[in-house]
Amino acid sequence: MSEEAFAEQRKQLVQAMNLHSKSVEKAFLSVKREQFFPAELKQYAYADSAFPIGFGQTISQPSTIAIMLEMLSVKPGDRLLEVGGGSGYVAALLSELVGVKGKVFAIELVCELQQRATKTLTQLGYKKVEMRCGDGTLGWREEAPFDCILISAACRQVPKPLTEQLKEGGKLVAPVGGRFTQEMVLLQKEKGKSVEKDSKCCFVFVPLKGKFGN
Ligand code: SAH
């Protein structure tokens, strides 16, 4: 498929998603989802679904990502953490939202996926994203605290190190629940405590592994 054909499909998907936030809409229009897809699946890059990226993992569904991004209301200049970086697609969207003054840190448990994602992000010129391989339930202590944290895998509860690494007033979004269905929960840190601000039903993510995972 040609660049133009992908661009047209990207526009159509964004229109169909009916986004509330202009900045989130702009981010979706800027990031080429096909670049984060395995070669044999690129033709499906603008279907609003999750797709396999290898190692039993998936690239998240655009409309689900949109819900998470709109719940977080990321601002230019923010320092963000994504747990479960996978293909790097969400990290690229986050990078568009934080702009040149912000920074995105992403952790991916499967080192092969992290290496592939880092390569893709570098090739596409996403200089504000740093991705490493490791257990994201421990957070990224050296770079904390964060304005926003996004957990891209299903957890029974939000790992404690992550709420600890959130700034005062900072926001965290995560799919919380059992193996087969989760609620998208928005927490905000107020006076040192995480307070639930919003939740939306129902989502299905791959499980969050690691020390404070499932
Ligand atoms: N946001 C990704 C989708 C990721 S799917 C994208 O846009 O492509 C969830 C990812 O979380 C998987 O790649 C999985 O390997 C990863 N994961 C699961 N447990 C993890 C952990 N403890 N730390 C870091 N990554 C984890």
Side-chain angles (χ1 to χ4, degrees), residues 5 8-9 33 47-49 58 62 76-77 82 87 130 144 146 148 155 166 187 191-192 198 204 207:
E8 186 49 39
Q9 289 195 355
R33 191 172 187 239
D48 188 18
S49 342
T58 53
E82 188 199 7
S87 67
E130 195 176 326
F146 300 100
C148 296
C155 50
L166 204 54
L187 304 178
K191 300 197 182 98
D198 194 6
V204 187

Short mmCIF file of all heavy atoms in Angstrom, two decimals, residues 5 8-9 33 47-49 58 62 76-77 82 87 130 144 146 148 155 166 187 191-192 198 204 207:
data_model
loop_
_atom_site.label_atom_id
_atom_site.label_comp_id
_atom_site.label_asym_id
_atom_site.label_seq_id
_atom_site.Cartn_x
_atom_site.Cartn_y
_atom_site.Cartn_z
N ALA A 5 -2.15 6.08 0.50
CA ALA A 5 -3.27 5.22 0.88
C ALA A 5 -3.31 5.04 2.41
O ALA A 5 -4.38 5.10 3.02
CB ALA A 5 -3.14 3.86 0.19
N GLU A 8 -4.62 8.25 3.98
CA GLU A 8 -6.07 8.36 3.81
C GLU A 8 -6.79 7.50 4.85
O GLU A 8 -7.75 7.94 5.50
CB GLU A 8 -6.45 7.95 2.38
CG GLU A 8 -7.90 8.15 1.99
CD GLU A 8 -8.45 9.54 2.32
OE1 GLU A 8 -7.72 10.54 2.14
OE2 GLU A 8 -9.63 9.62 2.78
N GLN A 9 -6.29 6.27 5.03
CA GLN A 9 -6.90 5.37 6.02
C GLN A 9 -6.72 5.91 7.44
O GLN A 9 -7.60 5.77 8.29
CB GLN A 9 -6.24 4.00 5.94
CG GLN A 9 -6.62 3.25 4.68
CD GLN A 9 -6.27 1.77 4.79
OE1 GLN A 9 -5.67 1.32 5.75
NE2 GLN A 9 -6.67 1.01 3.80
N ARG A 33 0.89 4.36 12.19
CA ARG A 33 0.72 3.08 12.91
C ARG A 33 1.30 1.91 12.13
O ARG A 33 1.79 0.94 12.71
CB ARG A 33 -0.77 2.86 13.22
CG ARG A 33 -1.03 1.71 14.21
CD ARG A 33 -2.49 1.66 14.62
NE ARG A 33 -2.77 0.68 15.66
CZ ARG A 33 -3.60 -0.34 15.55
NH1 ARG A 33 -4.26 -0.53 14.42
NH2 ARG A 33 -3.79 -1.18 16.55
N ALA A 47 -7.22 -0.62 10.95
CA ALA A 47 -8.44 -1.25 11.49
C ALA A 47 -8.40 -0.94 12.98
O ALA A 47 -7.34 -0.95 13.59
CB ALA A 47 -8.38 -2.75 11.27
N ASP A 48 -9.57 -0.62 13.54
CA ASP A 48 -9.60 -0.25 14.96
C ASP A 48 -9.59 -1.50 15.83
O ASP A 48 -10.57 -1.81 16.50
CB ASP A 48 -10.82 0.63 15.23
CG ASP A 48 -10.78 1.20 16.64
OD1 ASP A 48 -9.69 1.20 17.26
OD2 ASP A 48 -11.84 1.62 17.14
N SER A 49 -8.49 -2.23 15.80
CA SER A 49 -8.36 -3.43 16.64
C SER A 49 -6.92 -3.58 17.10
O SER A 49 -6.01 -2.98 16.54
CB SER A 49 -8.69 -4.73 15.90
OG SER A 49 -9.40 -4.53 14.77
N THR A 58 0.44 -7.79 21.89
CA THR A 58 -0.35 -7.09 20.87
C THR A 58 -0.05 -5.58 20.87
O THR A 58 0.35 -5.04 21.89
CB THR A 58 -1.87 -7.26 21.12
OG1 THR A 58 -2.15 -6.89 22.47
CG2 THR A 58 -2.31 -8.69 20.89
N PRO A 62 -6.55 1.34 18.66
CA PRO A 62 -6.53 2.81 18.66
C PRO A 62 -7.61 3.46 19.53
O PRO A 62 -7.30 4.37 20.31
CB PRO A 62 -6.72 3.16 17.18
CG PRO A 62 -6.13 1.99 16.46
CD PRO A 62 -6.44 0.79 17.31
N PRO A 76 1.90 19.57 27.00
CA PRO A 76 3.24 19.75 26.44
C PRO A 76 4.23 19.97 27.59
O PRO A 76 3.92 20.67 28.55
CB PRO A 76 3.12 21.01 25.58
CG PRO A 76 1.66 21.14 25.29
CD PRO A 76 0.94 20.54 26.45
N GLY A 77 5.39 19.34 27.48
CA GLY A 77 6.41 19.51 28.52
C GLY A 77 6.37 18.44 29.61
O GLY A 77 7.27 18.36 30.43
N GLU A 82 5.45 5.02 30.30
CA GLU A 82 4.55 3.96 29.83
C GLU A 82 5.11 2.61 30.26
O GLU A 82 6.28 2.31 30.03
CB GLU A 82 4.38 3.96 28.31
CG GLU A 82 3.27 2.97 27.93
CD GLU A 82 3.24 2.49 26.47
OE1 GLU A 82 4.15 2.80 25.70
OE2 GLU A 82 2.27 1.79 26.14
N SER A 87 5.17 -2.35 20.87
CA SER A 87 5.68 -1.94 19.55
C SER A 87 6.27 -0.53 19.55
O SER A 87 6.95 -0.14 18.61
CB SER A 87 4.52 -1.96 18.55
OG SER A 87 3.59 -0.95 18.89
N GLU A 130 12.57 7.39 25.35
CA GLU A 130 13.63 6.47 25.77
C GLU A 130 12.94 5.19 26.23
O GLU A 130 12.04 5.23 27.07
CB GLU A 130 14.41 7.10 26.93
CG GLU A 130 15.72 6.41 27.17
CD GLU A 130 16.54 7.10 28.26
OE1 GLU A 130 16.45 8.36 28.33
OE2 GLU A 130 17.20 6.42 29.02
N ALA A 144 12.04 9.24 37.88
CA ALA A 144 10.84 9.68 38.58
C ALA A 144 11.11 11.03 39.26
O ALA A 144 12.28 11.37 39.48
CB ALA A 144 10.46 8.61 39.61
N PHE A 146 6.95 11.33 37.75
CA PHE A 146 6.33 11.55 36.44
C PHE A 146 5.02 12.35 36.57
O PHE A 146 4.32 12.24 37.56
CB PHE A 146 6.03 10.20 35.78
CG PHE A 146 7.28 9.37 35.59
CD1 PHE A 146 7.60 8.35 36.48
CD2 PHE A 146 8.15 9.64 34.55
CE1 PHE A 146 8.76 7.60 36.32
CE2 PHE A 146 9.32 8.90 34.38
CZ PHE A 146 9.62 7.88 35.27
N CYS A 148 2.60 11.85 34.35
CA CYS A 148 1.58 10.86 33.99
C CYS A 148 2.23 9.49 33.83
O CYS A 148 3.35 9.40 33.33
CB CYS A 148 0.91 11.17 32.65
SG CYS A 148 -0.02 12.69 32.59
N CYS A 155 -3.80 -5.23 34.98
CA CYS A 155 -3.31 -5.55 36.33
C CYS A 155 -4.48 -5.71 37.30
O CYS A 155 -5.54 -5.11 37.12
CB CYS A 155 -2.35 -4.47 36.81
SG CYS A 155 -2.92 -2.78 36.65
N LEU A 166 4.69 8.83 40.99
CA LEU A 166 3.84 9.85 40.38
C LEU A 166 4.04 11.17 41.13
O LEU A 166 4.15 11.19 42.35
CB LEU A 166 2.39 9.37 40.52
CG LEU A 166 1.32 9.87 39.58
CD1 LEU A 166 1.70 9.63 38.13
CD2 LEU A 166 0.00 9.15 39.90
N LEU A 187 -6.34 7.44 38.15
CA LEU A 187 -5.98 7.85 39.52
C LEU A 187 -5.26 9.18 39.46
O LEU A 187 -4.55 9.46 38.48
CB LEU A 187 -5.04 6.83 40.16
CG LEU A 187 -5.47 5.37 40.25
CD1 LEU A 187 -4.35 4.54 40.88
CD2 LEU A 187 -6.75 5.23 41.06
N LYS A 191 -2.32 14.97 47.88
CA LYS A 191 -1.75 14.93 49.24
C LYS A 191 -1.09 13.59 49.51
O LYS A 191 -1.29 12.95 50.55
CB LYS A 191 -2.82 15.23 50.29
CG LYS A 191 -3.45 16.60 50.12
CD LYS A 191 -4.17 17.03 51.38
CE LYS A 191 -4.83 18.37 51.20
NZ LYS A 191 -6.27 18.26 50.86
N GLY A 192 -0.35 13.11 48.51
CA GLY A 192 0.40 11.87 48.67
C GLY A 192 -0.41 10.60 48.49
O GLY A 192 0.14 9.50 48.50
N ASP A 198 -11.92 8.52 37.86
CA ASP A 198 -12.80 8.13 36.76
C ASP A 198 -12.57 6.65 36.48
O ASP A 198 -11.50 6.12 36.78
CB ASP A 198 -12.45 8.97 35.51
CG ASP A 198 -13.51 8.89 34.42
OD1 ASP A 198 -14.57 8.30 34.64
OD2 ASP A 198 -13.25 9.45 33.31
N VAL A 204 -10.02 -5.41 27.32
CA VAL A 204 -9.28 -6.66 27.45
C VAL A 204 -7.84 -6.42 27.02
O VAL A 204 -7.56 -6.19 25.85
CB VAL A 204 -9.88 -7.79 26.58
CG1 VAL A 204 -9.18 -9.11 26.89
CG2 VAL A 204 -11.38 -7.92 26.81
N PRO A 207 -1.94 -9.61 30.07
CA PRO A 207 -1.62 -9.41 31.48
C PRO A 207 -0.29 -8.70 31.75
O PRO A 207 0.68 -8.88 31.00
CB PRO A 207 -1.57 -10.83 32.06
CG PRO A 207 -1.61 -11.76 30.93
CD PRO A 207 -1.98 -11.03 29.69
#
